[in-house]
Amino acid sequence: TTPASPTGRRWAVLGDTLAAPDDLSLVRAASLRELLDSGEPLPDLVLAPAVSDLTEHQDQRAALPTRVRTVLRTVLDLLRTWSADRRTAGSRLVFVTRGAVATSAGEDVRDLAAAPVWGLVRSAQSENPGAFLLLDLEDLHDTTTLRTVLPALPSLLDIGETQAAVRGGEIQVARLARLAQGQTRSHGSGVRSWDRDGTVLITGGTGGLGAELARHLVTGHGIKHLLLVSRRGPDAPGAKELRAELAAHGAEVTVAACDVAERPALDGLLAGVPAEHPLTAVVHTAGVLGDATIDSLTPALVDRILRPKADAAWHLHEATRDLGLAGFVLYSSVAGITGGPGQGNYAAANTFLDALALHRAALGLPAVSLAWGPWARTGGGMTSGLSDADMGRMARSDLALLPVDTGLALFDAATARDEALLVPVLIAEGAGARAAGTTTEIPAILRGLLRRRRRTAAAGRGRATGLVQRLEGLAAEEAEARLVELVRAETAAVLGHTDADAIPADRDFSRLGFDSLMAVELRTRLTGATGVRLSATLVFDHPTPAAVARHLTSQLLGDTGPGSAPSPLAALGTLEEALAAGTLDEVTRNGVAGRLRQLLARWDAPGPETGGLVVTERIEAASADEVLAFIDNELGRAAEF
């Protein structure tokens, strides 16, 4: 059984696309905003359908990339609203899809346009643990199944599950498992079945991973004809040298500039493949990175990542489905499977690739999506552009960096199997056990691989209760000092230091070298240690370890007294100091601008005759620079108040 909310309501449903049993305590609302502004406490669970053919684009003849964006835009808006509003602290948001994932071999992904929702929300879950759940149903109108499933959802969340699917009336949760070795296809063996006189097309072929694969296909498999495609083609760095190197091994290599995300351009490219060397396989490695946490993610940033990865994959599928290919390989990412802080757009794009491979397999077409773990830095791959902080974050994860030779060996092994979706990763030495006893948690989907002791919700509550009990036995100053030490220790861990003494309590996080992803990691660690749900803007609102400790003191032990909260003008002064302290990274700057847009939009909410709608629209459409200029010019500088 599940406890009722303070108002006796357990669940709410947004919109009217999800049928709900009449005998359950359900509340319907047209939108999340309506629910939040109703004046009533939120129910324990809020169900939000995310289904492509039940969105504003009813016409299924609309291009799939358009429908993908429609669903993602709706879900992103819900994620941002939920994360930014403190009234959601005691509730959870459940995204309900229908046929957006496959749970067994051969099952089709019926709603391809909604599949990327799973990647986006997985990333949001890693940024805001415990707040969101993914649920895939077979039928949105099966009230009998929903009546059985709904009471079980709080328990799933309490044990740390983040995604579930209902098939045949049973709830299934996702786990990765090791594959048995030596199992290959009965009708051939991967690359060895590709026609040596045919042409292999590699998108991103002049980049780091694409170039390494081209070398491997030529020197390791005797492929004689390659078509290497990238946006810059022959003008890409190292393209001429790569072509000459492969030609020296006897391969005929064409390097072409083509935006594969544009269908006419792709059609022109394929029309140029010589008839005597027809296309035999496609390997789609192209993609770009563009990290942004959910609070700073915009539809434009989502589109930037979708185009070269998801749109291009869809066009490749449509353009080649009748060509009798022997191979169709998609380079995806484990980020789409597990989620990752700041990678919502990247995870969404890669989850689409995974779903497309499953869809092709259900159609009887060749396909495999390889959800790669992180590769070691290559000559032009995406990891080559990562900062030392990014690489350090990876090094602290449960996945080790894949050496190039290991990755290529996994490519051979994966393409020789029957599965349409595989996850080639290298588990770090000591993964799981390394973080035992810390505040970190592994994604539920990895629990079959990593044997770290799992914390239950009860254990988490017990940990937080024990902390409060210890603090309540101390004087106010000593309790705050203990929390300062906790924050310093967790900050040191995020920065890769072994000793909290390296973290001054009064040093701004920006001066300590924090970026937005570090801020997310610190918030997650502190939530695990204290049980307090913390704002996405924690280190922005409380810019030093000491300030965060004071905030935790207030949350755990109550306010210290009247007037303890800073005035709005003082908060603006702190904001100006933080902005002037140094150069902000792009992700943080977008996050600041996004939060200010929301704040100003609420401040200038339209009244009967105020004209506030004009200001709101202007703020929502403004760039980061324009928002900051708006504050400077129209509200006045904080220092002048």
Side-chain angles (χ1 to χ4, degrees):
T1 60
T2 56
S5 66
T7 59
R9 301 178 301 171
R10 292 180 179 175
W11 305 287
V13 179
L14 302 183
D16 58 4
T17 60
L18 178 65
D22 295 331
D23 56 338
L24 291 180
S25 301
L26 287 166
V27 174
R28 281 201 181 273
S31 67
L32 178 57
R33 180 56 59 192
E34 176 186 308
L35 196 62
L36 288 169
D37 294 342
S38 67
E40 297 289 338
L42 281 183
D44 300 307
L45 296 179
V46 177
L47 277 62
V51 187
S52 70
D53 59 351
L54 295 176
T55 62
E56 61 190 67
H57 285 280
Q58 296 286 346
D59 186 358
Q60 287 305 286
R61 290 174 296 178
L64 186 82
T66 299
R67 290 189 281 127
V68 166
R69 284 158 175 76
T70 298
V71 183
L72 285 178
R73 184 167 59 246
T74 300
V75 171
L76 177 59
D77 182 64
L78 286 170
L79 288 170
R80 294 185 61 176
T81 300
W82 188 275
S83 299
D85 200 306
R86 299 181 189 278
R87 291 173 290 182
T88 65
S91 185
R92 276 88 167 255
L93 183 59
V94 182
F95 290 96
V96 183
T97 59
R98 185 210 54 200
V101 295
T103 63
S104 60
E107 182 181 352
D108 193 7
V109 177
R110 292 180 292 148
D111 194 351
L112 270 178
V117 168
W118 280 61
L120 175 64
V121 175
R122 284 164 178 158
S123 184
Q125 289 169 333
S126 66
E127 294 182 25
N128 199 347
F132 308 115
L133 179 69
L134 285 159
L135 177 66
D136 191 78
L137 302 177
E138 293 177 289
D139 185 353
L140 294 177
H141 303 290
D142 182 359
T143 57
T144 300
T145 296
L146 198 61
R147 184 184 294 107
T148 302
V149 169
L150 281 179
L153 298 185
S155 297
L156 284 177
L157 283 158
D158 284 344
I159 61 174
E161 296 296 341
T162 56
Q163 51 191 315
V166 179
R167 297 293 186 268
E170 295 183 348
I171 298 177
Q172 301 180 22
V173 297
R175 291 289 186 273
L176 287 180
R178 296 181 186 275
L179 287 173
Q181 300 298 313
Q183 182 179 343
T184 60
R185 297 177 179 172
S186 58
H187 59 275
S189 185
V191 178
R192 289 194 291 274
S193 68
W194 298 359
D195 182 1
R196 296 303 179 274
D197 286 326
T199 298
V200 176
L201 166 63
I202 303 178
T203 69
T206 60
L209 295 183
E212 293 292 353
L213 178 63
R215 294 184 181 98
H216 179 63
L217 292 178
V218 170
T219 62
H221 292 283
I223 297 297
K224 299 178 181 179
H225 304 280
L226 289 177
L227 175 55
L228 307 183
V229 179
S230 64
R231 291 289 298 273
R232 298 177 62 183
D235 295 329
K240 294 179 181 178
E241 293 80 1
L242 175 63
R243 184 177 182 277
E245 176 188 345
L246 298 176
H249 288 283
E252 181 180 325
V253 180
T254 300
V255 180
C258 178
D259 183 357
V260 183
E262 295 290 340
R263 179 61 188 273
L266 175 60
D267 288 341
L269 177 76
L270 295 180
V273 176
E276 61 271 24
H277 304 296
L279 198 66
T280 184
V282 168
V283 185
H284 180 40
T285 76
V288 296
L289 291 174
D291 287 356
T293 51
I294 292 297
D295 60 295
S296 61
L297 192 57
T298 65
L301 288 172
V302 172
D303 182 71
R304 174 186 169 191
I305 306 305
L306 284 177
R307 286 193 80 258
K309 181 64 73 173
D311 294 4
W314 176 249
H315 293 322
L316 286 165
H317 159 68
E318 286 198 310
T320 66
R321 62 183 300 171
D322 297 324
L323 298 183
L325 297 182
F328 191 92
V329 185
L330 301 170
Y331 269 36
S332 177
S333 169
V334 70
I337 302 292
T338 64
Q343 293 190 301
N345 47 1
Y346 187 63
N350 284 289
T351 302
F352 177 82
L353 266 59
D354 300 340
L356 176 59
L358 292 165
H359 176 64
R360 283 180 57 92
L363 295 175
L365 298 171
V368 60
S369 183
L370 304 179
W372 292 106
W375 287 65
R377 281 175 167 161
T378 55
M382 287 186 285
T383 53
S384 64
L386 297 179
S387 66
D388 290 339
D390 294 326
M391 298 302 289
R393 190 178 298 112
M394 286 184 181
R396 295 193 300 274
S397 75
D398 293 309
L399 301 180
L401 298 178
L402 279 165
V404 171
D405 56 350
T406 301
L408 294 174
L410 288 173
F411 175 90
D412 289 345
T415 55
R417 299 188 64 95
D418 283 319
E419 293 85 359
L421 172 57
L422 292 166
V423 185
V425 295
L426 187 62
I427 304 298
E429 184 178 355
R434 178 175 54 207
T438 72
T439 59
T440 59
E441 181 61 287
I442 61 172
I445 196 171
L446 295 180
R447 290 176 186 165
L449 299 176
L450 305 178
R451 299 300 181 185
R452 182 186 311 164
R453 182 179 179 181
R454 178 175 53 81
R455 298 192 312 274
T456 63
R461 288 191 294 270
R463 179 189 181 98
T465 300
L467 174 64
V468 172
Q469 290 174 342
R470 291 192 298 274
L471 295 175
E472 286 177 339
L474 303 174
E477 295 80 4
E478 188 175 355
E480 185 172 310
R482 291 286 181 90
L483 287 172
V484 168
E485 292 310 304
L486 171 65
V487 176
R488 290 176 66 206
E490 298 294 358
T491 301
V494 169
L495 290 169
H497 299 308
T498 58
D499 192 341
D501 289 341
I503 309 299
D506 57 354
R507 180 74 58 83
D508 283 3
F509 288 108
S510 60
R511 295 179 62 192
L512 288 170
F514 258 58
D515 58 24
S516 292
L517 297 183
M518 290 177 178
V520 169
E521 186 178 349
L522 176 63
R523 186 191 69 190
T524 301
R525 284 176 169 272
L526 291 175
T527 294
T530 65
V532 176
R533 180 175 171 184
L534 299 166
S535 167
T537 56
L538 175 69
V539 303
F540 181 74
D541 297 334
H542 311 281
T544 66
V548 170
R550 287 193 293 272
H551 176 64
L552 289 173
T553 301
S554 173
Q555 295 294 306
L556 291 169
L557 303 177
D559 293 331
T560 56
S564 59
S567 72
L569 296 184
L572 284 174
T574 302
L575 167 61
E576 185 185 25
E577 290 176 5
L579 293 176
T583 302
L584 299 178
D585 63 272
E586 182 181 358
V587 174
T588 302
R589 186 176 181 83
N590 287 333
V592 171
R595 184 61 182 263
L596 291 175
R597 287 190 193 98
Q598 295 175 9
L599 176 62
L600 291 174
R602 285 199 297 268
W603 184 272
D604 288 296
E609 299 179 359
T610 63
L613 181 59
V614 175
V615 177
T616 300
E617 290 176 345
R618 192 172 143 202
I619 292 167
E620 290 295 336
S623 67
D625 290 333
E626 288 169 340
V627 170
L628 298 176
F630 179 89
I631 295 172
D632 206 28
N633 297 332
E634 300 197 26
L635 299 184
R637 294 184 65 81
E640 295 174 354
F641 284 104

